[in-house]
Amino acid sequence: MKKIKLLILFILIFSNIYFSMFLGANIGKELGGKNRYVLGTEIGSYSSIIALSLNLYYPMSGTDLDLENTNFSNIKLVEIDPYLSLNLKISSSAIYVGVAPILIADLETFEFGLYSRDIFHGKIGLKTGAPITISLEAITTFNLEFLSTDIYTINLGIGLTF
């Protein structure tokens, strides 16, 4: 497992050194499941047919979006998704579809591990504009037979491409 984690980290670092980078933030809403909001950040490369990105998500508790009363210093767990995507680049836009294992990071103990060996995230999205980039994507959770859990998250993001 440690070799896989190091390989993913190496691929993400290598791709972001040699290709253009995207750095952004997003907010999403679960449709189904707990119907909660999700805050996220992303770093990745969408310049070639193979896109790589590292996404961090914080699922907020409750169904209301209340950023003013959210104490971000109390965040203890975040989700990390290292996506490998197929990317169709059209001018300053990119349409992509990707998959990622779901990792959970404990920010107090600095430990992380695989959420499950049987499920992963899949996403489809669109990024457009440069250097300011707007993104829209849909994410769902799949099992190893590619059956969705029917819980979807719709994310809207903004970032910089450089």
Side-chain angles (χ1 to χ4, degrees):
M1 187 63 187
K2 286 184 181 183
K3 289 180 182 180
I4 292 172
K5 292 174 189 175
L6 289 173
L7 179 62
I8 291 170
L9 181 62
F10 175 78
I11 290 170
L12 288 172
I13 290 171
F14 178 81
S15 69
N16 289 322
I17 290 172
Y18 290 101
F19 303 108
S20 67
M21 290 178 52
F22 171 79
L23 179 62
N26 57 54
I27 187 164
K29 174 75 171 152
E30 276 184 351
L31 305 174
K34 296 181 180 178
N35 290 310
R36 57 194 169 174
Y37 284 90
V38 178
L39 300 177
T41 186
E42 174 182 4
I43 184 169
S45 174
Y46 290 88
S47 63
S48 65
I49 194 157
I50 301 294
L52 300 168
S53 66
L54 184 64
N55 296 69
L56 275 74
Y57 300 109
Y58 170 63
M60 299 178 70
S61 59
T63 58
D64 295 325
L65 181 61
D66 188 8
L67 294 177
E68 288 182 18
N69 294 321
T70 300
N71 187 351
F72 292 101
S73 64
N74 287 339
I75 296 175
K76 294 177 179 40
L77 296 175
V78 293
E79 180 182 309
I80 302 171
D81 291 356
Y83 280 98
L84 175 62
S85 304
L86 292 176
N87 184 44
L88 177 60
K89 185 91 167 135
I90 304 169
S91 186
S92 64
S93 298
I95 300 170
Y96 53 92
V97 59
V99 295
I102 304 169
L103 305 172
I104 301 296
D106 185 329
L107 300 178
E108 290 181 325
T109 62
F110 298 107
E111 295 179 358
F112 68 96
L114 193 59
Y115 177 73
S116 170
R117 293 179 189 262
D118 299 328
I119 62 171
F120 58 94
H121 273 158
K123 73 175 175 177
I124 185 168
L126 169 70
K127 292 193 184 305
T128 188
I132 297 176
T133 304
I134 304 293
S135 63
L136 178 65
E137 59 188 23
I139 300 171
T140 191
T141 305
F142 288 95
N143 64 19
L144 294 176
E145 297 172 351
F146 290 93
L147 298 173
S148 172
T149 60
D150 292 330
I151 299 172
Y152 300 92
T153 303
I154 304 298
N155 284 339
L156 178 63
I158 189 165
L160 293 174
T161 300
F162 48 94

